[in-house]
Amino acid sequence: MVKCVDGKVIVVTGAGRGIGREISLLAAAEGAKVVVNDLGGSAEGEGADVKVADQVVAEIKKAGGIAVSNGDSVADPQGAERIVKTAIDNFGRVDCVVNNAGILRDRIFHHMSAVDWDAVIKVHLYGAFYMSKAAAPYFKEQEGGSFIHFTSTSGLVGNFGQANYAAAKMGIVGLSKSIALDMARFHVRSNCVSPFAWSRLIGTIPVDTPEAKARVERIQSTMTASKIAPIVVFLASNLSVDVTGQIFAVRKDEVFLMSQPRPLRVAHKDGGWTPQAIAETMLPAFKSALYPLDRSQDVFNWEPL
């Protein structure tokens, strides 16, 4: 059986646990040489322990795969450069960067501090930018490469208490599309994945109602991190050579192609609008198409398949 990423060099950030770990294991099993990056910090981004990445490397090697570890922070531009340089120094090239690293500092918006905002934005959005920027010259020179960025329905749809996380994840969508447009001439692809899976970060979300507890239990038992890895390895491979600028969501055995903002309605008024005319004419025409204040679980409201 042909391995779909045989010989490719793939960098996975936040790869010591959860989804990142599963991506690393599957990529190695499919023939890739993997840089397993993880700072080894807490779910809120505190502390560091490179042994977290080392353990995944040991698993890969035990199974006959090839991998090296790295403990730098994606939130530091020099750290991001060192992560990519780890691939170059050990394997001579880099073919794919998976921007999976993340932290959570959930707070209701009016209680969110600037520190909580900055910490999450730096790891998710700045981290995706720093990692992508560090790999871009190599992708350009070799005229090929794949970026895979992790977004979330917390941003794409909405959720309580995650303004920092949601803003970062929507920013990543814009970053991915811009990379896809700017680097298409060099055959570089950039896509987003929005995962539904039990992870260490999901485990930090407060469970304060019976309904929330039941939902978390369903996630924990059925939507495992290993379900996310196949779409990522597919996007890293040449099997997805024509796929770029897209957003995919994965929930158990379901894969969704997510919509992107496009016009829904148009209203025109000769001579221009006044605020009163907007209220009298435009608003009634648009009202049925206005989005409700849905959360992710309101939109994905059926049992995972």
Side-chain angles (χ1 to χ4, degrees):
M1 182 176 176
V2 178
K3 295 182 177 181
C4 69
V5 286
D6 196 27
K8 288 189 178 294
V9 178
I10 299 177
V11 176
V12 185
T13 68
R17 307 178 178 96
I19 293 170
R21 173 181 172 274
E22 296 296 335
I23 293 167
S24 298
L25 294 175
L26 182 60
E30 287 287 345
K33 301 170 185 176
V34 184
V35 175
V36 178
N37 160 260
D38 204 297
L39 181 64
S42 70
E44 290 202 345
E46 297 168 342
D49 184 1
V50 74
K51 291 196 296 293
V52 172
D54 290 339
Q55 289 167 0
V56 179
V57 170
E59 284 187 71
I60 290 172
K61 289 182 174 179
K62 186 177 180 180
I66 301 172
V68 294
S69 62
N70 174 280
D72 284 299
S73 171
V74 301
D76 169 47
Q78 286 75 40
E81 289 179 3
R82 287 192 295 269
I83 295 167
V84 173
K85 193 70 162 45
T86 300
I88 302 302
D89 290 346
N90 284 273
F91 306 125
R93 62 183 291 119
V94 58
D95 297 289
C96 176
V97 170
V98 181
N99 285 316
N100 168 72
I103 65 170
L104 283 181
R105 293 195 179 186
D106 290 357
R107 311 283 189 267
I108 293 297
F109 180 71
H110 51 278
H111 290 153
M112 184 169 289
S113 70
V115 172
D116 294 330
W117 174 269
D118 284 345
V120 169
I121 295 291
K122 283 178 180 176
V123 173
H124 289 275
L125 183 54
Y126 278 51
F129 169 74
Y130 291 149
M131 287 298 304
S132 301
K133 188 70 166 61
Y138 299 102
F139 285 3
K140 178 176 178 289
E141 184 178 355
Q142 68 200 27
E143 294 196 357
S146 175
F147 291 109
I148 303 161
H149 317 275
F150 272 71
T151 184
S152 172
T153 54
S154 290
L156 298 170
V157 179
N159 210 348
F160 290 138
Q162 293 191 310
N164 47 7
Y165 182 70
K169 290 307 192 183
M170 284 301 282
I172 285 170
V173 169
L175 173 66
S176 178
K177 177 55 76 71
S178 294
I179 292 171
L181 289 166
D182 288 349
M183 299 200 73
R185 73 191 75 177
F186 306 114
H187 311 290
V188 174
R189 295 168 286 124
S190 183
N191 294 284
C192 289
V193 173
S194 177
F196 291 81
W198 176 260
S199 70
R200 184 174 60 126
L201 297 190
I202 295 293
T204 68
I205 297 175
V207 178
D208 50 12
T209 67
E211 292 79 12
K213 183 179 179 182
R215 181 169 175 268
V216 167
E217 287 174 351
R218 286 197 303 274
I219 294 172
Q220 197 169 10
S221 62
T222 64
M223 291 185 280
T224 59
S226 62
K227 297 288 186 178
I228 311 303
I231 187 74
V232 177
V233 175
F234 161 76
L235 291 170
S237 77
N238 293 341
L239 298 172
S240 62
V241 68
D242 296 322
V243 181
T244 191
Q246 305 305 311
I247 308 166
F248 299 94
V250 180
R251 194 179 77 146
K252 196 180 175 183
D253 295 328
E254 301 163 314
V255 178
F256 304 90
L257 178 63
M258 300 296 285
S259 63
Q260 300 186 38
R262 297 291 186 273
L264 292 177
R265 297 285 189 275
V266 61
H268 171 264
K269 183 174 175 60
D270 286 337
W273 293 92
T274 65
Q276 293 79 9
I278 290 172
E280 292 167 3
T281 304
M282 185 213 75
L283 183 58
F286 283 9
K287 201 160 190 177
S288 65
L290 295 178
Y291 284 95
L293 282 177
D294 287 330
R295 293 175 296 157
S296 179
Q297 55 263 48
D298 299 321
V299 173
F300 293 92
N301 58 10
W302 65 96
E303 288 297 311
L305 303 175

